[in-house]
Amino acid sequence: MEGPLLREVCALYDQISSLASLKPSKNVDTLFTQLVLTCSPPAPGLDIASLPQPLQAMRAHLIRLCATAEALLEVHFSSILASFENPIHNLSIFPYYSNYLKLSLLEFDILTSHCRRVPSSVAFVGSGPLPLSSIVMASTHLKGTIFHNFDIDPVANSMAGRLVCSDSDLSKRMVFHTADVMEVTEAFGEYEVVFLAALVGLEEEEKGRVLRHLGKHMAPGAYLMLRSAHGARAFLYPVVDVRDVEASGFEILSVFHPTDEVINSVVIARKVSDLIPDNDNYNNNDTDDEKRGVLVNTPIILAEKCSGFKDFGPMIEELAIEEQLS
C-alpha cells in the first residue's frame, strides 16, 4: 500500500541524507540496495505527481543523492580501469558490466525496430567518467558508427577518454565534448540518434528545458532515446513526461514501463516538427497515462538499468534475442 511504501522511502531517505559521504562503502551499498528493493515493486496506488510538497521536495533531493552516489562509483571504477594497459579489455571488473550489456541490447533492439538504417553518427548526452553505454553500443552493436559523447564536466571527459585511447577502433570512433547541453545547437542537427542519459535534467522543469532544446536543434526524422521511471521507481530517477516530449516536436514511437526488476522505463521518439508550441500551453494537454505504458510495434524485452550500486536490484534472466543486426 502507498502508506507503508512512503514511510519506508522516507526512513531510508533520512539515513541516506545523513551520510557523511556517498562514496562506495558497505553502508552506502546497503542503504541504496534497500531503497531500490523498496521502490521496485509495482505501486498502483501511488501517484507521484499528487504527492504533497514536502514529499516532492524529499523526492527531488533523493534523486540528487542517487545521482551523486552513482557518479562517485563511476569515478572510482574509471580510475581503476585506467590503470590497465587496455581498459576496454577489463570492463568486466565493473560489478554491473553485464547489466550494461543487457541495457545496450535492449535499446539497440528498440532502436532498430523503428530505424531501419544503421546510423553513421550518434550523440550520447551525459556520458560521464565511465561511458559504458556508448562504449558497449559502439563496440557490440553499432560497430561502424561515430559516437559523440557530451558531458559538462571536463574531468569526467578526461577520465572517459583515457579508457578508450588505447583501443585502436574506439579511439577513432569515440569523441568527447565538454559542453553544457543547453549551449550545443547546430551540432545536434548532425546526429541521426541522440541518447539522453537518465540523470540529465534531474527535475521536471530541467528535463523539459533539455527536451525543448533538443526539439529545436535536432534534425527532423532523427531519433531520441530516453530513460525514464514509473511508479515508486520515480524516487530513484527522473520521470520523462511524454507530453513534454511531444510538445517539444517529437512523435512518441514507444514507451515501456517495466513491472519487475527493470528499474528504468524506455522511451523512443522521432523528431517530426521544427515548431515548438507556446510554453504556457503545452503542459495542459490531457494524456491517458495507462496507454503510454506499453510498447508500440516494439518487442517487449526487459533489461536492468545499470544503476551503479552493488546489489542495486537483483539480476534479471538472460534476454532471449533471436534477431541480430544484419
Side-chain angles (χ1 to χ4, degrees), residues 168-181:
S168 59
D169 174 42
L170 292 182
S171 62
K172 298 175 182 176
R173 295 193 293 116
M174 300 277 289
V175 185
F176 295 92
H177 305 276
T178 299
D180 184 334
V181 61

Side-chain angles (χ1 to χ4, degrees), residues 15-71:
Q15 296 179 71
I16 291 171
S17 61
S18 66
L19 291 170
S21 172
L22 293 176
K23 291 182 179 180
S25 70
K26 183 177 180 179
N27 193 27
V28 171
D29 170 37
T30 298
L31 286 174
F32 279 105
T33 296
Q34 292 175 350
L35 178 64
V36 169
L37 293 176
T38 299
C39 296
S40 293
L46 177 64
D47 181 4
I48 288 291
S50 68
L51 291 177
Q53 182 55 38
L55 287 178
Q56 294 287 3
M58 180 275 289
R59 172 181 169 257
H61 189 213
L62 183 57
I63 289 175
R64 290 188 179 276
L65 292 172
C66 290
T68 299
E70 183 169 335

Side-chain angles (χ1 to χ4, degrees), residues 252-312:
I252 298 292
L253 300 179
S254 67
V255 179
F256 180 62
H257 299 307
T259 57
D260 57 7
E261 300 93 340
V262 182
I263 301 301
N264 279 109
S265 302
V266 178
V267 181
I268 182 171
R270 180 170 51 212
K271 175 69 184 302
V272 295
S273 173
D274 289 325
L275 300 177
I276 306 300
D278 188 295
N279 291 345
D280 293 332
N281 298 325
Y282 78 89
N283 277 327
N284 296 325
N285 298 325
D286 292 328
T287 302
D288 182 352
D289 290 336
E290 292 303 317
K291 72 180 180 181
R292 297 296 184 187
V294 297
L295 281 174
V296 181
N297 296 324
T298 304
I300 299 180
I301 305 168
L302 304 183
E304 182 169 271
K305 167 68 175 71
C306 309
S307 56
F309 299 106
K310 184 180 179 183
D311 294 329
F312 204 75

Side-chain angles (χ1 to χ4, degrees), residues 4 16 19 27 42 49 89 98 129 131 133 162 189 195 213 241 264 278 305 315 325:
I16 291 171
L19 291 170
N27 193 27
H89 293 170
S98 62
S133 290
R162 286 199 295 269
F195 292 85
H213 182 75
D241 191 330
N264 279 109
D278 188 295
K305 167 68 175 71
M315 293 293 291
L325 179 63

Side-chain angles (χ1 to χ4, degrees), residues 216-233:
K216 182 178 179 180
H217 296 288
M218 284 176 61
Y223 294 86
L224 179 61
M225 297 289 297
L226 302 155
R227 296 169 190 173
S228 183
H230 187 62
R233 297 148 190 243

Side-chain angles (χ1 to χ4, degrees), residues 70-127:
E70 183 169 335
L72 289 170
L73 189 82
E74 290 188 2
V75 166
H76 176 73
F77 275 94
S78 184
S79 297
I80 294 174
L81 283 165
S83 67
F84 289 94
E85 182 177 352
N86 194 324
I88 300 302
H89 293 170
N90 295 277
L91 294 177
S92 60
I93 70 167
F94 185 71
Y96 282 90
Y97 177 62
S98 62
N99 292 355
Y100 275 92
L101 294 176
K102 294 174 182 179
L103 176 61
S104 176
L105 182 57
L106 166 66
E107 293 181 325
F108 172 74
D109 188 81
I110 290 176
L111 176 63
T112 55
S113 71
H114 293 285
C115 178
R116 304 302 179 184
R117 178 176 175 273
V118 177
S120 60
S121 180
V122 307
F124 195 99
V125 180
S127 48

